[in-house]
Amino acid sequence: MSTDTTASGARNDSGSSARGTRFSETMLGTLTLDDEDHARRVRLDLTVTADRLLRLLGTTRARATGRIRVTGWTDDPDAQGELEISPVARRRIRYRITFTADGRRLTLDGWKSITPRRPLTSMTVLPYTVYEDAVPIGTGTLRFPLGTQLLPFLAGFRFPRQEDPGALLAPRWRGEPGRTEVWYTTVTDPDSGSGLWLHHELTAPADGSPPYAHGWAAVFPQDGPVRHARFGPARWTPEKSGFTADGVTVRPGRLTGSAADGALRWDLSERAADQPLFTFPRWSWRRPLLPAAHMLPAARALYDGTFSHDGTPLTLTAAPGASARIYGHGNARRWAWLHADLGAGDVLEIVAAVSMRPGLRKLPPLVFLRLRRNGRCWPRRPERPAVGWAGAGRFRARIGLPTWTVTGRAGLRRIRVEVTQPTDRTLALDYTDPDGSHATCRNSERADSHVLLERWWFGGWRTEAEWTLDGTAHAEVGTR
C-alpha cells in the first residue's frame, strides 16, 4: 500500500442509484445446552444490511454482523451470518448466525413465525437451535425487548446508496504517462493467526515508455519469519474487470496467482461484507484531481480458499480482510496506513501522507481517517481530518517505527490511534515511482493497534469505545 496524499443496479464505477437497507437489532434470551441442566443468559446485537429496500410482501436476503454473548461460555464480537426477511410471502424471518465458543464454530439457526393472530409475539420472539457441524447441541429463545429497544430500532433504519464493489475494480488508467494504479488485498486468518498481503500494480512510466504490471505476495505467519515473493514485471494487458498479468488475476469475487515459480500460490474467493469506503473524498476517485486517491470497494470482506508458501498450505474459511484501490502519480514523500477490523461490523481506515508536490513537502502529514461504526462514518466529511476548519483542527500524525500515532477531534468526539509494527513482523520492500525514483515501505499484516474514541459529555471527556488489536491490524510506514 502506498499513496501520495454487492449491490445490483450500479450506474457507473462511482456509484449507483439503488438504495439498500441497514438497521440494528438487539435481542435477549436464554440458551440451554444439551449436556447442561440449566439455562444461560444470551444477548445478541446485530447490524443487518440488505442490498435493496426491504420487500415487505416478498423476500429480502440480508447480511448480519454483530456480537453474541452467552454467560459463562462465549463473548464473540465477530458473529456473522444472514437473514431471510419474508414476513408475508413465507411468514417468517429466519436467522442463521455463525459464532465461536470454546474454540468451536457454531451456528445459531431459528426463525420468527409471523402470524396476524399474534403480531407482537410472532415478530419479537425467536426460538432457535445451536448446531455444531449440523449436529444440534442446544436450544433457546430470544426476545426483542419492545420497552427499551423499539425506539432505537426504528430510529436506526438507514437507506444508504448502494455501490457495486465489482465495478470499482475496473482500471482507472486511460493511457496517461506518469501514473500508478494499485489493487491490494490484506487478510487475517483467524485459525492460524497468519496475515496475508497481495499487491498488484500497474506502472505507466513518466517518460512515455510502455506500461508494465508487477506485484508481490507475502505471508506473515504467527510462528516463523515473513515470506514474500514478487511477480512480473510483465506486459500490461487491459482487463475490463480488474487486473491480469503474468498469470495473476484480480476479478470481482476472485483472486488467483502464483509467484517465485509457484513457491507462493493462492486461489481465494472474496465476499463483500460491507459497502465501499472512500478514504479520500468520493469526488477524488471519480475525478482524479488530487495527487492520489484511495478507497476500498468493500470496507470489510470475507475470504475463502487456499494460500500456500513453500509447500505449506493455508486454508481460509470466512477470513476477514479487505481489498483496496489506489490511483495517482506515485508514492508520497512519507506515509502511514492502517486497516483495522474492529469487530461487530466496525472498521477503521487511515492514510496519513506528506505529498511530493513542491510547496507541500514541508507540511505535516495530511490525515484521512474514516471510522465506520454502527453503519455510520465519522468524521462525517472525509476532508475534515485533513484540512480541519480553514486549516485549524486538523488531525495530527506522528509517523515513525516501530510505533506511530494519529490523534484528532471532530465535533463532540476525539480519537487516539496508536499502531505498533514489531520488527520481526514487518517486511521492507522497495517501490519504484513512474518517474524512476524509489521509496521504501515497511508493512506488517500482524501489527498491533489501540484505538480510543471519546465523547464530550457534561463538561468532560468520557470513553465511548475502545479497541485493542493484537496481531490483527494491517499497517504500513513508507519513507524515502
Side-chain angles (χ1 to χ4, degrees):
M1 185 276 168
S2 59
T3 179
D4 194 325
T5 61
T6 1
S8 60
R11 194 167 50 194
N12 52 42
D13 65 357
S14 64
S16 108
S17 58
R19 292 281 176 175
T21 305
R22 183 191 301 271
F23 62 90
S24 297
E25 182 179 24
T26 294
M27 289 183 285
L28 308 174
T30 59
L31 167 66
T32 302
L33 299 173
D34 290 347
D35 59 355
E36 296 180 349
D37 59 1
H38 64 279
R40 297 175 180 265
R41 297 177 63 185
V42 180
R43 177 179 175 128
L44 179 63
D45 298 285
L46 292 178
T47 297
V48 181
T49 305
D51 291 337
R52 62 186 308 164
L53 297 177
L54 293 182
R55 302 174 61 202
L56 297 181
L57 299 180
T59 298
T60 304
R61 299 190 182 279
R63 301 179 297 275
T65 59
R67 181 177 185 180
I68 184 169
R69 283 169 276 193
V70 182
T71 302
W73 195 43
T74 188
D75 183 355
D76 185 358
D78 296 313
Q80 54 196 345
E82 60 185 10
L83 267 66
E84 178 193 89
I85 306 172
S86 187
V88 175
R90 298 185 179 180
R91 294 188 177 183
R92 72 180 187 184
I93 303 175
R94 184 173 185 177
Y95 295 70
R96 286 180 57 85
I97 308 298
T98 301
F99 65 98
T100 300
D102 288 339
R104 303 146 64 189
R105 292 296 287 173
L106 307 173
T107 300
L108 182 156
D109 189 358
W111 57 85
K112 301 172 180 176
S113 298
I114 311 303
T115 171
R117 295 193 301 272
R118 294 178 292 111
L120 282 180
T121 300
S122 63
M123 289 289 290
T124 58
V125 177
L126 171 66
Y128 65 90
T129 302
V130 174
Y131 295 88
E132 182 178 15
D133 297 329
V135 177
I137 65 168
T139 57
T141 302
L142 290 168
R143 290 177 171 82
F144 177 80
L146 285 169
T148 59
Q149 291 295 321
L150 181 58
L151 289 180
F153 173 73
L154 296 176
F157 267 82
R158 297 290 182 269
F159 305 97
R161 180 174 59 183
Q162 298 295 288
E163 306 197 54
D164 181 6
L168 292 166
L169 291 178
R172 300 303 312 274
W173 186 61
R174 297 295 180 266
E176 311 94 323
R179 299 292 190 275
T180 185
E181 184 164 6
V182 177
W183 297 252
Y184 73 86
T185 298
T186 59
V187 185
T188 296
D189 177 30
D191 295 330
S192 68
S194 298
L196 304 179
W197 180 25
L198 301 175
H199 180 102
H200 317 79
E201 184 170 335
L202 159 67
T203 300
D207 62 7
S209 55
Y212 61 91
H214 67 109
W216 52 81
V219 57
F220 297 70
Q222 189 172 39
D223 299 312
V226 179
R227 175 75 164 93
H228 83 283
R230 294 180 180 264
F231 58 85
R235 179 177 176 271
W236 167 248
T237 302
E239 169 66 58
K240 291 183 179 180
S241 59
F243 175 97
T244 181
D246 202 22
V248 177
T249 63
V250 178
R251 294 191 176 96
R254 196 69 178 270
L255 300 100
T256 61
S258 64
D261 296 324
L264 275 67
R265 188 177 300 274
W266 58 95
D267 186 348
L268 302 175
S269 65
E270 179 182 66
R271 292 174 285 143
D274 203 347
Q275 283 297 299
L277 181 65
F278 290 84
T279 320
F280 288 29
R282 184 188 300 263
W283 57 260
S284 69
W285 188 255
R286 297 196 303 264
R287 294 182 290 275
L289 302 178
L290 297 179
H294 178 275
M295 60 83 59
L296 293 80
R300 296 177 299 109
L302 301 175
Y303 296 84
D304 301 280
T306 58
F307 185 104
S308 63
H309 58 99
D310 304 309
T312 301
L314 185 64
T315 300
L316 305 181
T317 303
S323 289
R325 302 276 281 108
I326 302 170
Y327 183 68
H329 294 260
N331 300 296
R333 186 177 183 85
R334 289 189 298 136
W335 72 87
W337 160 78
L338 171 71
H339 174 79
D341 189 324
L342 305 175
D346 300 339
V347 65
L348 174 65
E349 194 80 16
I350 297 176
V351 174
V354 177
S355 175
M356 288 290 292
R357 296 271 179 97
L360 299 177
R361 300 179 184 180
K362 298 185 181 300
L363 293 178
L366 296 180
V367 176
F368 293 89
L369 180 150
R370 309 298 288 146
L371 172 62
R372 180 173 286 175
R373 182 167 178 255
N374 299 326
R376 290 185 166 186
C377 281
W378 177 86
R380 189 172 64 87
R381 299 293 303 177
E383 302 93 337
R384 172 64 181 82
V387 301
W389 296 105
R394 291 181 298 185
F395 284 32
R396 298 176 181 273
R398 294 186 176 181
I399 300 176
L401 285 173
T403 299
W404 55 275
T405 62
V406 168
T407 57
R409 173 183 174 179
L412 296 177
R413 290 183 173 90
R414 71 180 183 184
I415 195 169
R416 175 178 172 80
V417 182
E418 182 177 287
V419 181
T420 300
Q421 300 180 212
T423 303
D424 61 341
R425 294 187 241 154
T426 298
L427 172 66
L429 285 175
D430 179 71
Y431 285 89
T432 301
D433 283 338
D435 63 2
S437 61
H438 294 273
T440 300
C441 82
R442 291 170 176 82
N443 179 288
S444 176
E445 301 306 320
R446 294 192 61 246
D448 304 325
S449 182
H450 179 257
V451 181
L452 176 63
L453 180 67
E454 296 177 300
R455 184 181 178 90
W456 182 260
W457 189 258
F458 291 114
W461 290 102
R462 297 187 181 181
T463 299
E464 181 175 352
E466 190 170 7
W467 299 272
T468 299
L469 283 70
D470 183 8
T472 60
H474 306 162
E476 183 176 288
V477 168
T479 57
R480 291 187 181 267

